[in-house]
Amino acid sequence: MGQHVREYLLTLCVTAAVTYLLTGPVRKFAIAVGAMPAIRARDVHREPTPRLGGAAMFGGLCAGLVVASQLTGLRGVFDVREPQALLSGAALIWVIGVLDDKFEIDALIKLGGQLIAAGVMVQQGLKILWLPVPGLGTVLLSDWAGTLLTVALIVITINAVNFVDGLDGLAAGMVCIATAAFFLYAYRMWFGHGIEAAAPTTLFSALLMGMCVGFLPHNMHPARIFMGDSGSMLIGLVMAACAISATGRVDPDVLKLFGTERDAVHAMVPVYIPLLLPLTVIAIPVADLVLAIVRRTWNGQSPFAADRGHLHHRLLEIGHSHSRAVLIMYFWSGLIAFGAVVYSANSASGRLVFGLLLLSAAGLVLLLQPRFTPRVPYWARHFVPPRYRRRREVPRAETLSAGREDSPVAKEPAAESVGAAR
């Protein structure tokens, strides 16, 4: 078990490092080729910012897969076709995203590309084969039903993540939080329940976390580069692959070996989570997606027409700062995602429900304070953007001398205060 943990961490770190190192050159390339569109009416940033961040994330994904294929404990994952299916679908969706970042292709063309990428993944074996239905047990799906459900889940997840990519660091952070919860769930299925078929899901989750962690330092507010559709659609597709892999290879009959019929029913609880968890971990993006479609249709617009009615836009309009709006979305994503995972492990605990309600109330009180401003410890000031830096307390003697124009002591604290307030 310890060896597998180290190998997953190594895969995550390699993916994050490659993504981080590639983002700088990709940013320069995006500027050189003109992949930095003018400010649009729905945008919240004030200066043209290069896109194509998904190119670095795709490079990190490829590097992570190569490293994982050479590790002893993870080599068995590549005996099946799921990693190849993931890479094929990711490559297609990334190419479509790159074209959109540069040329802004039509929304229907993007949708067609998403369907093709999903179809390629299904053709290579990444498919939902069965569904656990309450009262009926496990229902095996026909070939066309499994294909239709798989394609629908992939397309919904891709567009949900794409819709929420509207603030600096929002999409990458929310997906990273959701995937961390999914990683814990998949790892528990493997080692807690002894289901080796959950290994690909665990690997995909580690890769996705690495992609997001490596890109976030460049994308936090104020962002130096955006992931663009090449990144948002890519991480949405990988997140969908995590869920589909869990239901495509895990044999539901294995869970019936846990003992009595009651034990088998209780053991089926984790099996429901692969289909529900992707929707719970991106519950906010999915809700945003549904509300956007209803809003635009009601106003006589195309469901794919962009506007400023998304949840993150509403948070800005009611007075929240950019950072506070992102933190609010982070909090609720983490609460829903980790709450679903913990509930799958102990669904009979009343204390769990009470704890989740208490955390919800505490989050509302802390994160909705109008003057709340996030700060990091002083020792970590060099690793974050200026607005997150904590101001150093200036001694009284320096404060008095700061009022003199000829005092050299006043210059350094003044400069730091300007940077902290920017």
Side-chain angles (χ1 to χ4, degrees):
M1 179 174 177
Q3 177 185 358
H4 289 95
V5 172
R6 290 193 295 269
E7 292 183 345
Y8 281 126
L9 289 177
L10 176 61
T11 303
L12 189 155
C13 292
V14 169
T15 305
V18 173
T19 302
Y20 178 82
L21 294 175
L22 286 179
T23 303
V26 166
R27 179 179 182 272
K28 295 180 180 178
F29 175 78
I31 296 175
V33 300
M36 25 185 326
I39 305 296
R40 298 164 296 186
R42 68 178 188 272
D43 292 332
V44 297
H45 57 283
R46 300 178 180 178
E47 298 179 358
T49 305
R51 297 183 183 180
L52 290 180
M57 303 176 84
F58 182 72
L61 173 64
C62 295
L65 285 172
V66 170
V67 171
S69 66
Q70 303 302 315
L71 298 176
T72 304
L74 302 181
R75 195 170 297 169
V77 177
F78 294 84
D79 294 337
V80 296
R81 299 181 62 189
E82 292 189 9
Q84 291 83 353
L86 172 66
L87 187 58
S88 301
L92 284 173
I93 206 69
W94 173 72
V95 170
I96 296 168
V98 168
L99 293 176
D100 182 67
D101 289 341
K102 179 62 177 71
F103 303 106
E104 296 191 6
I105 61 179
D106 186 74
L108 292 178
I109 297 179
K110 285 196 297 183
L111 179 61
Q114 294 168 9
L115 294 173
I116 294 174
V120 168
M121 296 173 66
V122 170
Q123 186 66 28
Q124 296 190 12
L126 198 61
K127 185 195 305 184
I128 299 174
L129 303 178
W130 51 269
L131 284 176
V133 179
L136 298 178
T138 302
V139 177
L140 296 178
L141 300 177
S142 62
D143 186 64
W144 69 268
T147 299
L148 183 63
L149 183 59
T150 303
V151 171
L153 181 60
I154 293 174
V155 173
I156 290 174
T157 308
I158 288 174
N159 286 282
V161 176
N162 190 24
F163 271 49
V164 82
D165 183 27
L167 296 179
D168 297 349
L170 181 58
M174 290 181 66
V175 170
C176 188
I177 292 171
T179 309
F182 204 101
F183 176 84
L184 294 177
Y185 161 77
Y187 194 80
R188 176 177 174 268
M189 279 191 69
W190 185 6
F191 291 99
H193 294 279
I195 303 175
E196 295 184 3
T201 304
T202 315
L203 175 61
F204 295 167
S205 301
L207 291 169
L208 184 53
M209 278 193 291
M211 295 162 60
C212 296
V213 169
F215 184 72
L216 267 175
H218 299 274
N219 191 233
M220 293 300 292
H221 185 68
R224 301 179 69 248
I225 185 174
F226 296 150
M227 68 172 65
D229 281 7
S230 60
S232 61
M233 294 197 299
L234 175 63
I235 61 178
L237 180 137
V238 178
M239 174 175 279
C242 295
I244 296 167
S245 175
T247 57
R249 296 191 66 239
V250 176
D251 187 358
D253 293 333
V254 173
L255 297 179
K256 296 180 181 179
L257 302 176
F258 280 79
T260 63
E261 181 179 356
R262 180 179 180 180
D263 294 334
V265 172
H266 181 72
M268 286 294 289
V269 172
V271 182
Y272 287 86
I273 303 301
L275 297 177
L276 299 179
L277 191 58
L279 299 180
T280 57
V281 296
I282 57 170
I284 295 177
V286 169
D288 195 12
L289 172 65
V290 173
L291 290 174
I293 293 176
V294 173
R295 178 179 65 252
R296 294 165 185 173
T297 305
W298 182 267
N299 294 331
Q301 300 175 341
S302 168
F304 302 101
D307 58 17
R308 288 182 58 89
H310 294 292
L311 295 177
H312 48 271
H313 290 136
R314 300 293 180 89
L315 290 174
L316 296 177
E317 289 176 358
I318 63 178
H320 294 295
S321 67
H322 192 293
S323 303
R324 191 162 56 244
V326 171
L327 286 178
I328 291 173
M329 301 284 277
Y330 281 1
F331 172 80
W332 288 110
S333 296
L335 182 64
I336 295 173
F338 283 95
V341 172
V342 174
Y343 183 79
S344 71
N346 189 7
S347 58
S349 176
R351 296 181 179 179
L352 173 62
V353 178
F354 177 77
L356 293 176
L357 293 176
L358 188 63
L359 285 174
S360 301
L364 287 173
V365 172
L366 293 176
L367 294 180
L368 297 183
Q369 292 295 323
R371 295 183 180 276
F372 173 76
T373 303
R375 289 290 183 265
V376 299
Y378 183 75
W379 57 266
R381 66 191 185 282
H382 297 298
F383 303 99
V384 295
R387 67 168 57 246
Y388 298 106
R389 298 174 184 172
R390 186 184 301 276
R391 298 180 183 179
R392 174 187 289 177
E393 294 183 3
V394 182
R396 181 176 179 82
E398 293 186 11
T399 304
L400 295 176
S401 62
R404 305 174 184 175
E405 295 182 358
D406 58 344
S407 175
V409 181
K411 295 182 180 180
E412 183 176 352
E416 183 176 353
S417 299
V418 173
R422 184 171 53 181

